[in-house]
Amino acid sequence: MDIAYASGIVHLFLSSFVLWIVPAHLVFLSDLVAFPASLFFSLRAIVIRWNQKQPQIAGAHGDSTASGLSEQCTTDQSDSKTSAREMMTDQKATRRGQHRSDRPVDPLLEQVKSESCGSGGITKRGVPRMRLIMLAAQLLLFAMLLDFVYRPLLTPGKDLTVFRPGYVSHDSARLHIRYPEGGKLELRYRVNDINSPWESAGKFDSPTEETDFTTTSALINLRPSTKYIVELITHQPTASVDSVLLDSIEFKTAPGPHSPTRLRFGTGSCIKPNFPYRPTMSPDIYGFESMLEHSSDMDMIMFMGDFIYADVPLYFGASVEDYRRLYRQVYMAKSSRHLLRKVPMLHVYDDHEIKNNWHNQEREPMGSAMTAYNEYNGLANPPPQLPGRSYYNFTHGNVAFYAWDTRRYRTRWEDSSSAGDGVKGATMLGAEQKRDFIEWLAEVNHTAAVKFVVSSVPVTTGWSNFDSSQDTWRGYPTERSEILGLTKYIPNLFFLSGDRHEMAAVELPSGNIEFSTSPISQFTFPLVGKFKSDINGEKTLHYRRPGHVKYGIIDVDTETDPDVPRIKYSLYTTDVDQGHSPAWVYEANGVPWV
Ligand SMILES: *[C@@H]1O[C@H](CO)[C@@H](O)[C@H](O)[C@H]1NC(C)=O
Ligand SMILES: *[C@@H]1O[C@H](CO)[C@@H](O)[C@H](O)[C@H]1NC(C)=O
């Protein structure tokens, strides 16, 4: 094989790897070197062949179609498929030609000649067809790679309109709006049955460029356990019609505080739009597409981080716009619009909303990253106990949730040797959040039938490869033991996490069960999993590596038997029955909790 083919194959492998296996930064950069090299060698091989053929075509036979073969390779014109004999003849011919003309030998030229006889197709100019096919494949894959990586710059989504429900309590709803056209907006809502009258929540000014045209609006004094429909209307001062309906959304309010309930919610994390890559004008998010099928009776989705990948495979920059643009990519996708207009989504953020394995507290680019996160996801969450915090707690009937911020307050790896298996004193939550969390534990201990603690990174120590051993709770063992020491005595407490692109359900040494579920649409490590089952006193209930789409749906029933709640976790992946039915189900009765 010559250098043109060899470099071509290296380039094809690298771009395919980024597009379909792992969108890795270093592989992408390597391809930025490999592609020009392969292009250069391929073109050189073609040009050499071309130039070399011209005098022969001009000088010898009129029959140009056959001339490439007849001159170079063969005494047997009838068959161009056989190779060995032809190649030998060709080489002899080449040697003879060389002897006569005394030209210096270019090894590439030698290769070009010999292969052209064996490979069958030859163009009029005597260029082997295989070379042209290879060249076309190289260009095509590189174009796809550029599309995949630079799509956010090509379609920045400046004109995007977003309208979706965020946190919905028993009597209020937060609505997330993006509208860049200016003018007045109005929200109209009614109970979702045809006889209910519309009510207006009032007119307000469109959001401005300062917040990237995003805002959060609230409806209050709603009825518990009631389905609502809400319309977003624009009033344009210049338009000929008075008002235009922009979009409408639906949601169901939660039951009253402490009421028994049936709650159904989705859990997932990690989104890289259009991965694995498909050539398309409108990139989609395959996990949302699949979730849509199960969304009709879902009360909400708990999204556990890595909603964007600021640095995969390329970090565009640290400006607020560099971050905002990536949020818009997710909201632009068709399945996001369909899913999120009917199902409220709550968020925690993780490292890729800033940068991989973020542990640098408030240092830049945390400021830009959090501005964009709040504009697009954070401000529609339940209100935090303290202003400006990203961690929060809320209830849905007698089911209680606490969502941690595991990024902003964690001890920097440089500031301790918490890297690896940790050192005393390293904190994930920071003192204030931990105090708040412990107060919450005491509060919900006997007032909520079921409790969910949401962590972006896994609590299980099963992911113990280099970066997860520092990045997950495994790297913060003192605080982890402290927390598990408390949750051990709290009835019906579950941990939910994402992050690892794999799924594991684990019974922790404290007896609490963790469901760690990811990705909504991202790579999974090829061939070998990263999870170690049953280590450090943990018991693995289920583990699953494959699947670019994996998410969980959790059903909680505190209604049927108020003393003994029921919980069911269903894992879905498009790898099993295309996501129509669950790949694994865990079902259990809780323990009495009062
Ligand atoms: C959050 O938890 C605190 C207890 O730490 C509690 O007082 C408060 O009511 C909870 N907030 C919500 C919205 O449930
Ligand atoms: C929760 O309740 C149990 C049983 O009453 C008690 O032992 C435990 O200390 C409580 N935990 C917290 C954090 O209040």
Side-chain angles (χ1 to χ4, degrees):
M1 188 165 40
D2 68 30
I3 187 156
Y5 278 120
S7 61
I9 284 166
V10 169
H11 156 59
L12 296 187
F13 175 75
L14 293 176
S15 5
S16 305
F17 193 85
V18 175
L19 289 168
W20 293 295
I21 301 181
V22 180
H25 182 65
L26 285 179
V27 182
F28 171 64
L29 292 188
S30 312
D31 199 39
L32 290 187
V33 178
F35 173 69
S38 70
L39 188 65
F40 170 78
F41 288 120
S42 296
L43 289 174
R44 181 165 164 263
I46 289 168
V47 166
I48 287 174
R49 180 69 193 192
W50 184 287
N51 288 341
Q52 187 231 349
K53 283 309 294 174
Q54 266 177 323
Q56 293 170 346
I57 290 165
H61 313 279
D63 178 7
S64 61
T65 322
S67 70
L69 269 180
S70 61
E71 275 201 24
Q72 286 276 308
C73 307
T74 169
T75 49
D76 172 11
Q77 295 233 355
S78 66
D79 184 10
S80 60
K81 266 180 271 169
T82 53
S83 62
R85 188 159 52 106
E86 289 175 355
M87 209 121 81
M88 277 164 62
T89 324
D90 174 57
Q91 273 158 13
K92 271 184 233 144
T94 312
R95 273 199 296 280
R96 277 199 305 276
Q98 195 189 315
H99 184 70
R100 279 198 306 270
S101 65
D102 257 359
R103 271 184 297 163
V105 192
D106 184 331
L108 182 59
L109 185 66
E110 287 289 302
Q111 179 70 33
V112 167
K113 286 177 182 171
S114 71
E115 81 185 340
S116 68
C117 306
S119 64
I122 303 284
T123 65
K124 282 188 184 177
R125 285 295 199 170
V127 177
R129 275 219 170 88
M130 200 48 212
R131 285 226 185 267
L132 294 180
I133 292 169
M134 185 77 172
L135 182 65
Q138 277 165 257
L139 290 169
L140 185 69
L141 242 72
F142 195 66
M144 293 201 270
L145 189 69
L146 291 184
D147 174 42
F148 177 58
V149 176
Y150 291 98
R151 179 66 75 114
L153 299 182
L154 293 176
T155 55
K158 292 265 190 198
D159 56 354
L160 174 73
T161 295
V162 180
F163 184 38
R164 67 171 185 99
Y167 172 56
V168 178
S169 75
H170 66 286
D171 64 355
S172 69
R174 291 188 158 198
L175 308 175
H176 174 221
I177 297 166
R178 182 181 198 273
Y179 185 65
E181 309 289 326
K184 292 270 185 204
L185 293 176
E186 183 184 2
L187 289 171
R188 293 203 310 156
Y189 65 102
R190 65 164 163 81
V191 171
N192 194 1
D193 93 57
I194 202 82
N195 300 316
S196 295
W198 286 102
E199 290 183 58
S200 173
K203 289 184 189 169
F204 54 98
D205 286 328
S206 282
T208 62
E209 194 163 13
E210 205 185 324
T211 58
D212 201 25
F213 306 105
T214 62
T215 187
T216 311
S217 192
L219 299 179
I220 53 170
N221 299 328
L222 305 177
R223 283 187 245 156
S225 300
T226 305
K227 284 187 178 167
Y228 281 89
I229 179 160
V230 189
E231 292 184 343
L232 179 66
I233 292 162
T234 168
H235 298 271
Q236 296 289 355
T238 53
S240 51
V241 280
D242 174 49
S243 64
V244 178
L245 172 65
L246 290 172
D247 209 348
S248 78
I249 58 171
E250 292 164 37
F251 59 79
K252 186 179 171 195
T253 50
H258 308 299
S259 309
T261 183
R262 281 168 200 264
L263 165 67
R264 180 176 172 83
F265 67 103
T267 60
S269 64
C270 309
I271 298 178
K272 178 78 192 156
N274 200 23
F275 185 85
Y277 179 81
R278 294 180 202 163
T280 169
M281 289 306 285
S282 48
D284 215 342
I285 292 156
Y286 308 126
F288 283 172
E289 210 169 59
S290 171
M291 258 189 180
L292 203 50
E293 180 187 335
H294 308 289
S295 68
S296 58
D297 47 357
M298 245 190 229
D299 293 284
M300 63 170 187
I301 294 168
M302 191 73 234
F303 193 90
M304 301 176 296
D306 295 343
F307 188 80
I308 61 163
Y309 278 78
D311 55 346
V312 175
L314 186 67
Y315 185 66
F316 286 109
S319 75
V320 189
E321 173 57 16
D322 288 318
Y323 284 94
R324 286 168 170 163
R325 200 192 294 121
L326 295 172
Y327 286 93
R328 297 197 298 264
Q329 301 298 307
V330 179
Y331 283 111
M332 269 159 71
K334 189 165 53 126
S335 52
S336 310
R337 292 206 308 274
H338 289 158
L339 181 66
L340 301 181
R341 63 179 293 279
K342 287 198 299 187
V343 190
M345 188 178 260
L346 307 186
H347 291 269
V348 300
Y349 69 98
D350 198 25
D351 54 338
H352 288 285
E353 275 90 347
I354 314 158
K355 254 185 178 184
N356 191 29
N357 293 346
W358 186 255
H359 56 96
N360 280 312
Q361 300 176 348
E362 303 283 345
R363 287 167 181 77
E364 281 311 307
M366 184 71 167
S368 314
M370 289 312 285
T371 299
Y373 167 73
N374 282 323
E375 285 167 352
Y376 281 93
N377 289 347
L379 290 177
N381 276 343
Q385 290 280 99
L386 293 168
R389 307 301 192 275
S390 295
Y391 54 88
Y392 55 86
N393 62 290
F394 66 98
T395 54
H396 184 104
N398 61 2
V399 181
F401 288 80
Y402 196 103
W404 279 332
D405 179 340
T406 65
R407 286 290 160 191
R408 188 187 298 206
Y409 311 103
R410 59 164 68 194
T411 307
R412 298 178 73 217
W413 299 349
E414 289 84 347
D415 294 346
S416 78
S417 36
S418 77
D421 268 336
V423 130
K424 288 194 180 55
T427 175
M428 174 87 87
L429 301 179
E432 181 194 82
Q433 181 178 193
K434 188 158 74 184
R435 203 166 46 239
D436 191 76
F437 173 65
I438 292 172
E439 271 172 34
W440 174 85
L441 281 180
E443 161 94 19
V444 299
N445 199 350
H446 299 296
T447 57
V450 182
K451 300 91 176 162
F452 290 101
V453 177
V454 181
S455 173
S456 64
V457 288
V459 180
T460 166
T461 56
W463 281 289
S464 51
N465 53 314
F466 172 72
D467 83 327
S468 31
S469 68
Q470 299 180 63
D471 194 54
T472 70
W473 275 98
R474 189 185 165 103
Y476 297 78
T478 314
E479 193 167 274
R480 181 178 178 274
S481 314
E482 192 185 339
I483 284 168
L484 294 183
L486 294 170
T487 58
K488 185 174 179 176
Y489 300 103
I490 311 266
N492 309 323
L493 183 143
F494 297 84
F495 290 98
L496 304 176
S497 64
D499 180 45
R500 301 311 309 171
H501 303 195
E502 298 181 0
M503 185 276 168
V506 178
E507 188 180 322
L508 299 166
S510 60
N512 306 109
I513 289 173
E514 175 180 28
F515 299 106
S516 187
T517 322
S518 122
I520 294 284
S521 195
Q522 245 299 18
F523 71 87
T524 182
F525 290 101
L527 308 177
V528 280
K530 300 277 181 179
F531 184 78
K532 290 198 182 70
S533 289
D534 301 322
I535 62 168
N536 304 326
E538 300 177 0
K539 195 169 149 241
T540 304
L541 307 176
H542 187 70
Y543 165 62
R544 183 174 183 89
R545 178 194 65 79
H548 293 114
V549 168
K550 300 195 268 310
Y551 57 90
I553 294 182
I554 298 180
D555 289 283
V556 185
D557 177 1
T558 65
E559 222 167 55
T560 309
D561 180 351
D563 295 331
V564 182
R566 288 192 62 75
I567 166 153
K568 178 175 165 190
Y569 172 99
S570 310
L571 171 69
Y572 289 84
T573 166
T574 45
D575 275 26
V576 173
D577 191 27
Q578 291 169 341
H580 300 315
S581 58
W584 178 73
V585 174
Y586 167 91
E587 224 170 335
N589 287 329
V591 295
W593 51 280
V594 186

